[in-house]
Amino acid sequence: MKAPSLKLLSLNEALFSVKAFTAAMAALYIAFSMGLPRPFWAMATAYIVSGPLSGAVRSKAVFRVAGTALGCAGAIALVPALADSPEVLTLALGLWVAVCLFISLLDRTPRSYLFMLAGYTIGLIGFPAVTDPSTIFDTGLARVEEILIGILCATVVHSVIFPQSVGPALLGRLDATLRDAERWTREALSRERAPEGAANAQERQKLARDITELRVMATHLPYDTSEVRWMTRAVRAMQDRMAYLLPLTAGIEDRLDALRGQLPAEVSALLADLDRWVGGDDEDVGADRLRAEIARLSPAIGADTGWKEATLLNLLTRLRSLVDIHQDCRDLRAHIRDGKSSLPERLDPLTRRRSRDVFHLDAGMALWSGFAALLGIAVVCAFWIGTGWSSGSTAAMMTAVFCCFFASLDDPAPGIRLFLVFTLLSVPLAAFYLLVVLPSFDSFPMLVLGLAPTFLTLGVFIARPATMGKAMALLMGVVGSLSLLDLGSGDFASFLNSNVAQVVGIATALLVTQLCRSVGAAWSARRLLRAGWSEIAAMTAARSGIPVGSFENRMLDRVGLLSSRLALAGPQQDLAAADAVNDLRVGLNLAELQRARRALGGPAAPHVARLLGAVGQHFRSLSSRRLGTPPAEVLPMMDAALSNLSAEPRSAERDRAVIALAGLRRALFPHLTFAAPEPSSESLREPVTA
């Protein structure tokens, strides 16, 4: 690890290190006082739970307690029942780890920690009991007590000593994200766009990442001590509204490009007013005035409506939505600032219209990760049982832990390799503490003084994002070595054997991961894109209404996930034209078209249905790795749908369908102009065959 001596020690880094060390020493003292067999488990737990934000520490503590209890219960249930067959018992323990890992990867919030911990806790308790099942209850109870002590100490220390609440940090990120969204909105309205694929795309991806990170941070709010915890509903509603700004602003940019040089003067003046209103530069321009002006300028749909009029109506409708969302965000932010317990009647429905499916989930990769963990455990357990190795249980424990820790990454191998390297580097330091420091001190205060230089220094590096992984790996290597030995077995032979077992376990996890589980950023990016295309294809064939918010949030999450992977993938011919934001716009327009189609009963309905079928087939082809542009027959289907929709009796559903159809045409054929000849309405009265 590079020495970070060039960077001055900050107050927050020093404070975190002191608090984490205080919690660890308190946990160690209590564990010693209770005569627990491995008190350093409590110390290790205190460091694992510690974090800069007190609300996150408390929520993590809750999940860790629940996961520990669940894993302990599983060990107590499985070990006595299968004690007569070590092979079957180790397989059952491995299956438990794999299933818990699978479940944890299907929840991308901090709650996933509960199931991951339940997985490897059964390894920590169950594997040592394979050769001595009579001790399972005592071992399980001791592990739970040691872990609970560490959790309790970390929670109390970080909550009482200069607590850093989640609320202010979250609001700071929320305000910064809103400012970024406002700046991008103003650039879109004034059409000061960056070159295609440059800074503009990066801004979209950053906004998507920020909103996803805010969602994760918000899950800690109920455990926070700040007043913001009472504003959880409003904060989540504000995040939901901001999520729509990404596809909405991208759509407005596209419509303005399509209508460049053809906008009526009054619409251009409206854009200028809206630009000033978003920036707060003109107090005379209000949301109500802008809505009224948009309604006045919106063209009416008639039998002679063409794509230019439909696109203009689409633009003005999107501008109306833009006004609504920005006003809602301002009102919600003012409500959060005032700390009121109830929302105004107009805003209250926003907090209740939440979809639970806000994150992209990959069940296939979760299942494969669980299988890789099971395979690694099976390999090391076969070697352990076959050779009768006395420390084989430690190797199995480490394999389970490290297969779980990094499973959420595309390629877990670098993280496991880093821990392996720093575990090896920690051996001399751990030997010094175990064989020299611990036997030399006959009082706890002297032990604290002996531990302080190393752990206070490592705590500072843990507080720094650039060195956190290396410092935590070194710290856990030292504490892990001490934790694996009973108080009375601190001899060199036991120490060496347990450390060899640690290395074998981590190396097995690394080997299995490299063989079975490691994938590249480009592979993950393609998988994310195909997941979005598959969902879009499914939307076109949906029989029931599409839930508001579910698709939008998942696609937005995919945009954020894709941004980092596309950057790591480098130049890839099939990824160069990937535009998940455009896919999001396609899906939003398809969802609107589906909702409106159900209320249409005239001749337009079969045309819209056939168009949806053709678009669905295109995205099914994309998801099946048959890349290509939308087929040419989609264009006449769109023309037919517009012609027949325009002839429908006037209704809100008809207008929504026309608006969505115009947006879909722009999303699928962005370079198409309005000059293309449109078929006559007479030739389109009969449904067009695919």
Side-chain angles (χ1 to χ4, degrees), residues 17 44 98 107 112 161 175 185 187 205 346 448 451 473 491 496 507 526 530 549 568 576 612 623 644 655:
S17 181
D107 185 349
S112 64
I161 302 177
D175 289 338
T185 299
E187 291 175 355
Q205 295 164 359
R346 183 182 67 82
V448 173
L451 295 172
D491 59 274
L496 184 61
R526 295 185 186 98
R530 288 196 295 270
L568 292 172
L612 290 172
S623 63
N644 283 273
D655 290 352

Side-chain angles (χ1 to χ4, degrees), residues 233-426:
R233 288 175 57 213
V235 169
R236 288 174 174 170
M238 188 173 174
Q239 292 168 355
D240 281 347
R241 297 303 279 161
M242 290 171 61
Y244 284 91
L245 286 175
L246 181 66
L248 186 63
T249 309
I252 290 172
E253 284 183 325
D254 175 79
R255 307 305 178 267
L256 290 175
D257 274 356
L259 295 166
R260 189 181 301 277
Q262 304 180 56
L263 281 177
E266 290 179 306
V267 175
S268 297
L270 171 66
L271 292 172
D273 289 342
L274 184 53
D275 180 29
R276 291 195 300 273
W277 177 76
V278 171
D281 299 335
D282 190 345
E283 296 181 358
D284 295 333
V285 178
D288 290 338
R289 175 184 160 187
L290 290 170
R291 293 188 188 103
E293 186 67 8
I294 290 171
R296 186 181 70 83
L297 295 175
S298 297
I301 301 297
D304 58 346
T305 295
W307 287 115
K308 179 180 177 181
E309 293 78 15
T311 303
L312 179 59
L313 178 60
N314 182 289
L315 170 64
L316 291 168
T317 304
R318 299 293 180 257
L319 292 177
R320 166 62 190 259
S321 298
L322 189 71
V323 172
D324 291 341
I325 292 175
H326 276 284
Q327 187 61 52
D328 288 343
C329 287
R330 292 176 182 181
D331 292 344
L332 287 165
R333 186 63 184 92
H335 168 80
I336 296 169
R337 189 181 301 111
D338 295 340
K340 297 177 181 178
S341 58
S342 61
L343 286 169
E345 183 178 351
R346 183 182 67 82
L347 297 177
D348 188 64
L350 297 177
T351 66
R352 305 183 186 280
R353 192 180 64 193
R354 275 192 50 82
S355 170
R356 299 179 63 183
D357 303 324
V358 298
F359 295 112
H360 164 76
L361 302 177
D362 193 334
M365 285 302 294
L367 184 63
W368 190 243
S369 296
F371 170 77
L374 176 61
L375 178 61
I377 292 170
V379 168
V380 78
C381 286
F383 177 78
W384 163 32
I385 295 174
T387 61
W389 184 18
S390 61
S391 293
S393 62
T394 298
M397 289 162 50
M398 292 298 104
T399 301
V401 168
F402 283 91
C403 282
C404 291
F405 261 179
F406 300 96
S408 62
L409 303 177
D410 292 334
D411 185 4
I416 299 175
R417 188 181 300 111
L418 181 144
F419 261 80
L420 177 60
V421 169
F422 280 87
T423 296
L424 291 171
L425 293 177
S426 72

Side-chain angles (χ1 to χ4, degrees), residues 200-217:
N200 198 40
Q202 295 176 4
E203 286 186 3
R204 296 180 186 182
Q205 295 164 359
K206 180 178 182 299
L207 181 60
R209 288 196 307 271
D210 289 345
I211 292 173
T212 296
E213 291 170 4
L214 284 169
R215 289 189 190 282
V216 175
M217 286 184 69

Side-chain angles (χ1 to χ4, degrees), residues 16-312:
F16 170 80
S17 181
V18 170
K19 291 198 300 184
F21 183 72
T22 301
M25 293 302 99
L28 188 61
Y29 177 78
I30 295 173
F32 272 124
S33 301
M34 293 176 61
L36 295 176
R38 293 182 177 176
F40 283 95
W41 276 116
M43 178 181 174
T45 301
Y47 268 106
I48 291 172
V49 175
S50 292
L53 301 177
S54 57
V57 171
R58 277 188 294 277
S59 69
K60 197 174 184 180
V62 171
F63 301 137
R64 189 173 181 85
V65 168
T68 299
L70 182 59
C72 180
I76 293 174
L78 290 177
V79 172
L82 303 173
D84 295 334
S85 179
E87 296 83 359
V88 176
L89 176 56
T90 55
L91 180 61
L93 295 175
L95 281 171
W96 177 286
V97 173
V99 170
C100 287
L101 178 59
F102 170 76
I103 296 173
S104 75
L105 293 175
L106 295 182
D107 185 349
R108 288 189 35 235
T109 71
R111 287 187 300 269
S112 64
Y113 192 58
L114 186 158
F115 296 102
M116 184 179 71
L117 195 68
Y120 69 74
T121 293
I122 202 174
L124 299 177
I125 297 173
F127 286 124
V130 169
T131 55
D132 190 7
S134 62
T135 63
I136 181 59
F137 183 81
D138 293 337
T139 301
L141 180 61
R143 289 300 87 77
V144 171
E145 289 175 337
E146 291 154 2
I147 289 172
L148 290 181
I149 289 169
I151 292 171
L152 180 62
C153 291
T155 303
V156 170
V157 168
H158 286 279
S159 300
V160 173
I161 302 177
F162 300 108
Q164 293 182 311
S165 300
V166 172
L170 177 63
L171 292 183
R173 290 285 302 276
L174 198 65
D175 289 338
T177 303
L178 185 58
R179 286 194 299 271
D180 289 342
E182 289 174 344
R183 177 173 51 79
W184 184 31
T185 299
R186 298 193 69 182
E187 291 175 355
L189 293 173
S190 59
R191 285 167 289 173
E192 295 174 0
R193 298 183 57 186
E196 192 68 27
N200 198 40
Q202 295 176 4
E203 286 186 3
R204 296 180 186 182
Q205 295 164 359
K206 180 178 182 299
L207 181 60
R209 288 196 307 271
D210 289 345
I211 292 173
T212 296
E213 291 170 4
L214 284 169
R215 289 189 190 282
V216 175
M217 286 184 69
T219 61
H220 297 300
L221 270 183
Y223 306 90
D224 202 28
T225 55
S226 69
E227 292 299 320
V228 183
R229 73 181 183 276
W230 305 114
M231 302 290 107
T232 301
R233 288 175 57 213
V235 169
R236 288 174 174 170
M238 188 173 174
Q239 292 168 355
D240 281 347
R241 297 303 279 161
M242 290 171 61
Y244 284 91
L245 286 175
L246 181 66
L248 186 63
T249 309
I252 290 172
E253 284 183 325
D254 175 79
R255 307 305 178 267
L256 290 175
D257 274 356
L259 295 166
R260 189 181 301 277
Q262 304 180 56
L263 281 177
E266 290 179 306
V267 175
S268 297
L270 171 66
L271 292 172
D273 289 342
L274 184 53
D275 180 29
R276 291 195 300 273
W277 177 76
V278 171
D281 299 335
D282 190 345
E283 296 181 358
D284 295 333
V285 178
D288 290 338
R289 175 184 160 187
L290 290 170
R291 293 188 188 103
E293 186 67 8
I294 290 171
R296 186 181 70 83
L297 295 175
S298 297
I301 301 297
D304 58 346
T305 295
W307 287 115
K308 179 180 177 181
E309 293 78 15
T311 303
L312 179 59

Side-chain angles (χ1 to χ4, degrees), residues 597-612 641 644-645 648:
R597 180 176 70 90
R598 300 183 185 283
L600 297 174
H607 291 279
V608 173
R610 290 181 181 277
L611 172 62
L612 290 172
N644 283 273
L645 281 170
E648 288 272 341

